[in-house]
Amino acid sequence: MVNEGARILEEGIAYRAIDIDVIFVNGFGWPAFRGGPMFFADRLGLKAVRDRLAHYAETTGDKNLQPAALIEQLAKEGGSFATLKGPGKV
């Protein structure tokens, strides 16, 4: 969900990560106490999220699990979804 959320931000479909969180919490039953998938990923740390996605992509051979470019960028820079300044822009 986090990887797809990052792609949605990259494409400009959603403007802010919190918009994705609101949709998942209110529309899809994501546990509210976790704050949504993007908030949860920020709390875990995007380096850890990137590393886990890369591991699963390599293990399964599923290219869809490769970390989105936005996750790669934010992990490299030590950023977070909360720091984005518009659609997929740091």
Side-chain angles (χ1 to χ4, degrees), residues 3 48-58 65-68 71:
N3 210 26
V49 171
R50 177 201 56 206
D51 293 347
R52 183 72 55 94
L53 284 167
H55 168 76
Y56 288 138
E58 183 179 327
L65 295 175
Q66 285 293 333
I71 292 175

Side-chain angles (χ1 to χ4, degrees), residues 2-7 10 38 41 46-47 49-51 53 66-77 79 81:
V2 174
N3 210 26
E4 188 58 32
R7 290 184 178 121
E10 289 171 347
M38 310 313 277
L46 293 183
K47 289 180 185 177
V49 171
R50 177 201 56 206
D51 293 347
L53 284 167
Q66 285 293 333
L70 182 58
I71 292 175
E72 292 281 4
Q73 177 188 359
L74 291 171
K76 180 180 175 184
E77 296 172 357
F81 290 118

